[in-house]
Amino acid sequence: MKNRLLILMLAAFLAAPIFSQTNQDKIVEDFESSSVNQQGKEFPKVNSEGRVRVRIEAPEANKVQLDIGGVKYDLEKSEDGVWIGESAPQDEGFHYYQLNIDGASVPDPGSKYYYGAGRWGSGIEIPASDDEFFELKDVPHGSVSENIYYSNITKNWRRNFVYTPPGYFENADKNYPVLYLQHGSYEDETGWSSQGHTNLILDNLIASGDAEPMIIVMDNGYAYKPEDLENAGENRPRSSFEEVLIQEVIPQIDEKFRTIPNRENRAIAGLSMGASQTMSIIMNNLNHFAYYGGFSGTANFPGNEDLDPEEFLNGAFSDAEEVNEKIKVLWLGLGTKEAEVFFKTVGKFRDMLDKQDIEYTYYESPGTAHEWHTWRRSLYQYAQLLFD
Amino acid sequence: MKNRLLILMLAAFLAAPIFSQTNQDKIVEDFESSSVNQQGKEFPKVNSEGRVRVRIEAPEANKVQLDIGGVKYDLEKSEDGVWIGESAPQDEGFHYYQLNIDGASVPDPGSKYYYGAGRWGSGIEIPASDDEFFELKDVPHGSVSENIYYSNITKNWRRNFVYTPPGYFENADKNYPVLYLQHGSYEDETGWSSQGHTNLILDNLIASGDAEPMIIVMDNGYAYKPEDLENAGENRPRSSFEEVLIQEVIPQIDEKFRTIPNRENRAIAGLSMGASQTMSIIMNNLNHFAYYGGFSGTANFPGNEDLDPEEFLNGAFSDAEEVNEKIKVLWLGLGTKEAEVFFKTVGKFRDMLDKQDIEYTYYESPGTAHEWHTWRRSLYQYAQLLFD
């Protein structure tokens, strides 16, 4: 009994997400500069435990903090006006973070900047055991093109990034299937080709023969009509991304790039908000797509109710036979450390699929939360199943 | 090299207009959000005088400054912990800047970020009377592709950005001339397609028929061999960019893209350090290029001596007849507010050309200094003369 209590207490202690400064004496001193630092910058650094150490000169400051993973860590000031300090161990993979200098939240001048959490800000990479799958290797490399276009639906200029596989430019007579790949909430069209490393993931998969050469289109899921913006008031307006994608983006991509313009050679996927959006889009447009990937999200988010296939998405999953025939791959993924709401909503959706006998693939990314390493791994898994 | 940096820094310092806070009562209150703010951010703002107003919450700070154009302006703190303040009027065009919070130099969380001055940091755009030439208009748009390659000369991965003109992707049988376009000191391969707006300048020029459709390759002028890095010690190592460009980049571009691979259809240009580099490159490789553009720089920088055509660049300008025949356009440009050292060095170079009867075009950008608006205008002028 005593042993059991001790074990429970130990377990509780080990699981506690709150680390105090008092465990600083245990910090492993093997810090190395982050792989996503600005050229020539020594800090921030990461150690083998996944702690982040930052450093900034702020001789006149009263208080400087590192703000990462929802926790603010006090830095310590040395005599020469330099502040330094570190976080508790972070999950493997990519995280957004910032510095807080006397109450001002600002990017760390040592890191590169990424769009996420609704702003351009600092990012850091905690090395993962499987980083090899998006490493820059001596294999043929595709290109990422920035394309700008005017939308007659939203009445403004928009852009997307398009990955074209190795050989696209040289082989003028080969056509390719297309994956439309969407970002999440408070992110934008830059995420997948920047912190997502879409191009390197695909370059490596294509080189090893584990994925078909494909084009990947990364657009912006926020697409507001002027009238919807006006009527939204305090609320976020309804996005017309489905209209923009179906009526404008796909026709433009099929005209500009050497695609195979049919449903069997068109896939769609997204992360979080993008998973929800793209699930609605494919179910409304089965004549356009034959592959779906939902990374950390489903269209029933954040509901916790059982799903009625006759009701959910206007009965799109009611005819199991049609869904099984039309959707060649229905793919769902989650990180094992994601918040409960994601497991609940994805779980309710899976329950419905199971009851309906609709085939799907389910994947869990070990040890990662609602963050980019989960989604890189999801793309890596999902891309291998496309266009077989 | 060290001397050259010192002179550049001194020149920048001497050119800096020092204004005090005493003229605040005259500030014109017509500030508008900067055109290069992050999405949804109200600050920084710019008024019709070209003043920059910044705002940041830093309730516990002792001193916050706006650092722009080599001058630090004190902000004032309001009761709610928000700091606000403005600069003296700035030149038209694009400027790098930063905030200084209790001694810490950090990016402004309201602006977008650009690479320049050796770091990713804040940028701001002071509207200019001629901004129209790089506006996003309803004309056909080209694309900018990111391409990564391994250099066997520098033994590392490098990348370039490639502008392909409107129609490049759709018209599989048309080949295009190529302009190789280089950044300046402490900048990188991102500058020309970001703050330089190469793509929009060319889209507009091509649409109006004022420039030939062309491909533009923007690579990184810093290219160090491992042994040169080792031997450099404290000094900046010698760049092997000429070797990388001639032996690796041009062959790759000619293989990957539909170029017209001969000297008559190949131009080269650069700004500041890039002007100096590319002048050496074209004179060493007249079999590769027929057009040269030097934006705010020449290969004799920062010398103030008369140039002997028999000596300068190994006598490359000694045979005027050959130079006139081989270089179809020799183009030089400066901003009227640039530091004296640029006028002196470019002046000495022009004196030599005049004495030799070598034909060239000389342009001055009114009211701009050694900054991006000078170089955007230079590209706008220069591109119209290419590949006629």
Side-chain angles (χ1 to χ4, degrees):
Chain A
M1 199 64 182
K2 218 176 167 184
N3 268 353
R4 202 161 139 189
L5 184 62
L6 198 68
I7 287 165
L8 267 172
M9 284 169 68
L10 194 66
F13 173 74
L14 290 173
I18 296 160
F19 287 76
S20 73
Q21 294 286 330
T22 55
N23 63 2
Q24 277 202 341
D25 51 345
K26 294 176 203 157
I27 291 174
V28 178
E29 284 299 336
D30 58 357
F31 285 90
E32 291 187 14
S33 298
S34 160
S35 61
V36 295
N37 278 3
Q38 293 187 33
Q39 200 193 349
K41 297 286 174 78
E42 189 185 355
F43 284 85
K45 292 182 167 187
V46 180
N47 78 352
S48 57
E49 301 171 280
R51 290 184 202 267
V52 175
R53 175 173 281 170
V54 293
R55 177 195 187 280
I56 189 160
E57 278 186 57
E60 297 159 58
N62 303 307
K63 190 179 184 181
V64 181
Q65 295 176 307
L66 161 62
D67 181 357
I68 187 168
V71 179
K72 288 179 180 164
Y73 301 89
D74 289 341
L75 308 191
E76 284 192 21
K77 189 181 183 177
S78 63
E79 279 174 20
D80 55 356
V82 172
W83 295 75
I84 199 160
E86 49 281 308
S87 73
Q90 304 293 306
D91 291 340
E92 290 185 343
F94 180 88
H95 310 285
Y96 302 116
Y97 77 99
Q98 57 191 354
L99 300 181
N100 193 288
I101 303 173
D102 284 343
S105 291
V106 293
D108 181 343
S111 80
K112 286 187 185 155
Y113 305 130
Y114 301 88
Y115 193 76
R119 91 289 183 259
W120 284 94
S122 291
I124 196 153
E125 191 75 44
I126 310 296
S129 53
D130 61 345
D131 281 348
E132 184 265 342
F133 78 89
F134 62 91
E135 251 169 33
L136 183 51
K137 295 182 202 171
D138 190 11
V139 298
H141 289 282
S143 299
V144 176
S145 310
E146 180 188 343
N147 299 281
I148 47 185
Y149 65 96
Y150 186 81
S151 167
N152 279 312
I153 294 166
T154 62
K155 308 291 182 202
N156 62 7
W157 289 94
R158 296 175 50 86
R159 73 171 173 178
N160 51 45
F161 289 90
V162 179
Y163 169 79
T164 44
Y168 181 89
F169 284 89
E170 295 87 342
N171 311 327
D173 49 4
K174 188 166 159 45
N175 284 45
Y176 298 86
V178 185
L179 163 61
Y180 291 84
L181 185 61
Q182 289 301 118
H183 62 84
S185 193
Y186 296 100
E187 300 189 320
D188 72 6
E189 70 277 16
T190 63
W192 269 114
S193 60
S194 178
Q195 58 267 46
H197 295 304
T198 298
N199 56 330
L200 298 178
I201 293 171
L202 265 291
D203 290 344
N204 290 337
L205 280 174
I206 293 168
S208 63
D210 292 312
E212 293 294 314
M214 66 183 81
I215 292 168
I216 302 184
V217 178
M218 297 156 278
D219 206 293
N220 191 313
Y222 297 111
Y224 303 133
K225 293 180 183 177
E227 61 267 32
D228 288 340
L229 273 175
E230 266 172 39
N231 299 334
E234 297 275 300
N235 303 314
R236 194 155 219 183
R238 194 184 69 85
S239 174
S240 296
F241 179 64
E242 179 173 339
E243 279 177 71
V244 171
L245 180 69
I246 301 293
Q247 295 171 32
E248 299 185 323
V249 178
I250 292 177
Q252 286 164 17
I253 294 294
D254 283 341
E255 194 190 329
K256 181 164 180 175
F257 293 91
R258 298 192 313 276
T259 65
I260 309 173
N262 60 37
R263 64 178 301 283
E264 289 79 14
N265 288 285
R266 216 179 273 129
I268 191 164
L271 71 90
S272 194
M273 177 187 85
S276 171
Q277 282 186 314
T278 55
M279 182 182 285
S280 294
I281 292 172
I282 187 173
M283 300 318 292
N284 289 340
N285 301 277
L286 281 171
N287 56 330
H288 278 76
F289 307 95
Y291 297 87
Y292 170 74
F295 308 166
S296 304
T298 43
N300 56 320
F301 185 88
N304 192 24
E305 298 80 37
D306 288 340
L307 296 179
D308 178 353
E310 303 298 325
E311 297 285 333
F312 180 59
L313 293 183
N314 303 314
F317 293 94
S318 59
D319 184 343
E321 206 174 320
E322 193 205 4
V323 174
N324 281 332
E325 190 212 313
K326 290 232 166 135
I327 305 186
K328 294 191 178 187
V329 172
L330 198 170
W331 196 98
L332 303 170
L334 275 176
T336 59
K337 295 178 83 169
E338 299 214 28
E340 207 184 344
V341 63
F342 295 104
F343 278 92
K344 279 192 173 159
T345 50
V346 173
K348 291 294 184 187
F349 180 71
R350 291 175 63 200
D351 289 347
M352 184 197 72
L353 296 182
D354 289 336
K355 218 168 1 187
Q356 290 286 90
D357 269 333
I358 292 174
E359 293 154 28
Y360 66 95
T361 305
Y362 178 68
Y363 165 79
E364 285 188 359
S365 162
T368 62
H370 202 66
E371 293 190 285
W372 275 99
H373 206 63
T374 300
W375 305 322
R376 294 164 176 167
R377 285 175 174 165
S378 295
L379 176 61
Y380 176 76
Q381 297 291 332
Y382 176 65
Q384 299 184 47
L385 306 178
L386 298 181
F387 313 124
D388 265 348
Chain B
M1 204 64 183
K2 226 172 165 186
N3 271 350
R4 201 160 142 184
L5 179 63
L6 199 68
I7 287 164
L8 265 173
M9 287 169 66
L10 194 66
F13 174 76
L14 290 172
I18 295 161
F19 288 77
S20 75
Q21 294 286 328
T22 55
N23 60 2
Q24 274 201 343
D25 51 347
K26 293 175 204 157
I27 291 173
V28 178
E29 283 300 335
D30 58 357
F31 286 89
E32 291 186 14
S33 299
S34 160
S35 61
V36 293
N37 279 3
Q38 293 187 34
Q39 200 192 349
K41 297 287 174 76
E42 189 185 355
F43 285 85
K45 292 180 165 188
V46 179
N47 79 353
S48 57
E49 301 170 279
R51 290 184 202 268
V52 175
R53 176 173 281 170
V54 293
R55 176 194 187 281
I56 189 160
E57 278 186 55
E60 297 158 58
N62 303 308
K63 188 179 186 183
V64 181
Q65 295 177 307
L66 162 61
D67 180 357
I68 186 168
V71 180
K72 287 179 181 165
Y73 301 89
D74 289 340
L75 308 191
E76 283 192 18
K77 189 181 183 177
S78 63
E79 280 174 20
D80 56 356
V82 171
W83 294 77
I84 198 159
E86 49 281 306
S87 73
Q90 305 293 307
D91 291 340
E92 291 185 341
F94 180 89
H95 310 285
Y96 302 115
Y97 77 100
Q98 58 191 355
L99 299 180
N100 193 288
I101 304 172
D102 284 342
S105 291
V106 293
D108 181 343
S111 80
K112 285 187 186 156
Y113 305 129
Y114 302 87
Y115 193 77
R119 91 289 181 259
W120 283 94
S122 291
I124 197 153
E125 191 73 44
I126 309 295
S129 53
D130 62 345
D131 281 347
E132 185 264 343
F133 78 89
F134 63 93
E135 250 169 33
L136 183 52
K137 294 184 202 169
D138 190 11
V139 297
H141 289 284
S143 299
V144 176
S145 310
E146 180 188 344
N147 299 284
I148 47 184
Y149 64 96
Y150 186 82
S151 167
N152 278 311
I153 293 167
T154 62
K155 308 291 183 202
N156 62 6
W157 288 94
R158 296 174 49 87
R159 72 172 173 179
N160 50 47
F161 288 90
V162 178
Y163 168 80
T164 45
Y168 181 88
F169 284 89
E170 296 87 341
N171 311 327
D173 48 3
K174 189 166 157 50
N175 284 43
Y176 298 87
V178 185
L179 164 62
Y180 290 84
L181 184 61
Q182 288 302 119
H183 62 84
S185 194
Y186 296 98
E187 299 189 319
D188 72 7
E189 70 277 16
T190 63
W192 269 113
S193 61
S194 179
Q195 57 266 46
H197 295 303
T198 298
N199 57 329
L200 299 177
I201 293 171
L202 266 290
D203 289 345
N204 291 337
L205 280 174
I206 293 168
S208 64
D210 292 312
E212 293 295 314
M214 66 183 82
I215 292 168
I216 302 184
V217 178
M218 297 156 278
D219 206 294
N220 191 314
Y222 297 112
Y224 303 133
K225 294 181 184 178
E227 61 266 32
D228 288 339
L229 274 176
E230 266 173 39
N231 299 335
E234 297 275 300
N235 302 314
R236 196 155 220 183
R238 193 184 69 86
S239 174
S240 296
F241 179 63
E242 179 173 340
E243 277 176 71
V244 171
L245 180 69
I246 301 293
Q247 294 172 31
E248 298 185 322
V249 178
I250 292 178
Q252 284 163 20
I253 294 295
D254 284 340
E255 193 190 331
K256 181 163 181 176
F257 294 91
R258 298 193 312 276
T259 65
I260 309 173
N262 60 37
R263 64 178 300 283
E264 288 79 14
N265 288 285
R266 216 180 274 128
I268 190 164
L271 72 89
S272 195
M273 177 187 84
S276 170
Q277 282 187 315
T278 55
M279 181 181 286
S280 294
I281 292 173
I282 187 173
M283 299 318 290
N284 289 339
N285 301 277
L286 281 171
N287 56 330
H288 278 76
F289 307 95
Y291 297 86
Y292 169 74
F295 309 165
S296 303
T298 42
N300 56 320
F301 185 87
N304 192 23
E305 298 80 37
D306 289 339
L307 296 179
D308 177 353
E310 304 299 326
E311 297 285 333
F312 180 58
L313 293 183
N314 303 315
F317 292 94
S318 59
D319 184 343
E321 205 173 321
E322 192 204 5
V323 174
N324 281 333
E325 190 212 313
K326 291 231 165 135
I327 304 187
K328 293 191 177 185
V329 172
L330 197 170
W331 195 97
L332 302 171
L334 275 177
T336 60
K337 295 178 83 168
E338 298 213 29
E340 207 184 345
V341 63
F342 295 104
F343 278 93
K344 279 193 174 160
T345 50
V346 173
K348 291 293 182 188
F349 179 71
R350 291 174 63 200
D351 289 346
M352 183 196 71
L353 295 182
D354 288 336
K355 219 176 339 192
Q356 288 288 89
D357 268 333
I358 293 175
E359 292 156 28
Y360 66 95
T361 304
Y362 178 68
Y363 166 79
E364 285 189 0
S365 162
T368 61
H370 201 68
E371 292 189 288
W372 275 98
H373 206 62
T374 300
W375 306 321
R376 294 163 174 167
R377 285 174 173 164
S378 295
L379 176 62
Y380 176 76
Q381 297 291 333
Y382 176 65
Q384 299 183 47
L385 306 179
L386 298 181
F387 315 123
D388 263 349

